[in-house]
Amino acid sequence: MTQQKLNSKAFVSLSARLTAAMRSQETARCDRLFNDPFATQLAGADAFAFLAQRKIQPEQDGRPYVVVRTRFFDDFLLAKQLPQVVILASGMDTRAYRLLWVADTKVYELDQLEVLRYKDAVLKDATPTCQRYAIAADLTQPWSHLLLDRGYRTDLPSVWLIEGLLMYLDIPQVHTLLTTVSQLAVAGSWLGLDVINTTAIPSTTDSSFQGYWRSGCDNPEELLADYGWKAKVIQPGDEGAHFGRYTRKLPPRDVPNVERVFLVTAQKFPR
Ligand code: SAM
């Protein structure tokens, strides 16, 4: 792979395999925070080459963000154990195959057609640990009918995950997505997501992402409250989100001009 800049669509698709490559590297550690036995194959050689060429070494920098994020949301999903799980922009997420779900849990994965096709081809011999539904969708276009067509029920509680997506959308697209999710989620449902702050959009600390991130949010509590969710926000490195591995401590949130990312969990309250 050359050091050329990829176009945005190509990079976002590759980004799904880059996170898989990071999960593969984590799985190889004896002190791993999770085990993703599918990650190496899903990542593919070019994703490892990309990380190596760009010298992306989050562990050495004390910022193994994808690893910490994966474990954080693994724990979140397993703690909720609701009958319906919707993973938006699932990419190479293998939770439908590697987590222990209670019987009859339905896990819906939505992503671009070519991403799901690739993943399904790689995982063709693997058995999900839940009832898995892969739904090809452009999440910037109307998609709720696709979920409803596959049996998603708006009268049952659900848990939603939007991991590694919002920064690639522009602000109106983020609002449209949150509107749709909030219409589909009954009170009591849960939502997990990660979001960068606005200072991080130019991504000066990690040049590999420069030019690809399009939006950020400085106050996720306020954003989600507008859509009927009560949110709890934590920064990686904080208590409850370092797992002994994210050693880079971010300054408190009221310190300005700091590039940040937030791990957000939220519950839908009755209107
Ligand atoms: N959530 C996965 C993870 O954490 O490993 C994948 C994250 S990856 C950084 C971003 C994902 O967003 C890719 O799988 C990409 O295909 C998906 N994506 C980006 N824009 C999308 C869109 N408009 N519709 C559907 N999926 C989209």
Side-chain angles (χ1 to χ4, degrees):
M1 182 182 290
T2 69
Q3 290 275 9
Q4 274 174 337
K5 202 90 178 156
L6 296 169
N7 73 40
S8 195
K9 190 170 162 52
F11 180 80
V12 176
S13 294
L14 171 66
S15 71
R17 292 191 295 106
L18 295 178
T19 57
M22 293 177 196
R23 288 193 286 265
S24 161
Q25 291 168 344
E26 178 67 13
T27 297
R29 291 175 64 111
C30 46
D31 62 347
R32 59 182 166 260
L33 297 183
F34 52 81
N35 179 27
D36 187 343
F38 311 102
T40 306
Q41 221 191 331
L42 285 168
D46 58 334
F48 290 105
F50 185 100
L51 295 184
Q53 281 178 8
R54 302 226 175 8
K55 299 194 170 36
I56 298 176
Q57 298 175 322
E59 193 72 35
Q60 280 88 324
D61 292 344
R63 297 183 299 152
Y65 176 61
V66 167
V67 168
V68 161
R69 178 180 82 180
T70 301
R71 173 60 186 269
F72 181 85
F73 286 123
D74 279 3
D75 290 354
F76 167 72
L77 293 171
L78 287 175
K80 301 309 167 211
Q81 292 285 7
L82 292 174
Q84 311 182 103
V85 179
V86 187
I87 304 178
L88 299 182
S90 51
M92 302 303 131
D93 182 323
T94 57
R95 293 183 174 102
Y97 296 85
R98 65 180 180 81
L99 296 188
L100 280 180
W101 304 99
V102 297
D104 299 327
T105 303
K106 294 183 172 173
V107 176
Y108 298 93
E109 293 184 19
L110 285 80
D111 207 302
Q112 306 181 83
L113 176 64
E114 62 273 25
V115 171
L116 288 175
R117 267 200 189 138
Y118 168 80
K119 180 179 183 175
D120 287 352
V122 172
L123 297 181
K124 64 182 186 319
D125 297 325
T127 307
T129 50
C130 59
Q131 295 175 36
R132 173 180 179 262
Y133 301 86
I135 301 175
D138 178 350
L139 295 167
T140 63
Q141 300 298 319
W143 51 268
S144 50
H145 61 288
L146 301 171
L147 188 60
L148 294 167
D149 285 351
R150 300 297 292 275
Y152 175 87
R153 286 178 50 181
T154 50
D155 59 330
L156 292 180
S158 48
V159 54
W160 294 73
L161 186 62
I162 313 175
E163 194 183 22
L165 174 68
L166 296 182
M167 58 287 274
Y168 295 109
L169 304 183
D170 59 33
I171 288 170
Q173 291 171 338
V174 170
H175 284 288
T176 305
L177 192 77
L178 290 177
T179 301
T180 306
V181 170
S182 306
Q183 284 166 348
L184 289 165
V186 72
S189 296
W190 284 88
L191 168 63
L193 59 83
D194 68 330
V195 63
I196 58 169
N197 72 345
T198 50
T199 306
I201 297 171
S203 192
T204 47
T205 53
D206 196 339
S207 61
S208 299
F209 295 90
Q210 245 163 35
Y212 298 119
W213 287 346
R214 286 154 61 186
S215 68
C217 170
D218 296 326
N219 192 333
E221 291 94 336
E222 210 172 86
L223 173 71
L224 286 170
D226 287 346
Y227 290 94
W229 299 83
K230 178 157 181 46
K232 188 174 158 209
V233 177
I234 191 166
Q235 301 186 107
D238 287 352
E239 200 51 47
H242 61 70
F243 303 100
R245 297 273 299 283
Y246 200 107
T247 52
R248 184 77 69 91
K249 187 96 179 103
L250 281 167
R253 282 176 65 188
D254 54 5
V255 177
N257 304 319
V258 176
E259 292 187 22
R260 300 178 189 279
V261 62
F262 301 120
L263 296 167
V264 182
T265 54
Q267 189 171 29
K268 183 95 185 291
F269 50 76
R271 274 277 181 211

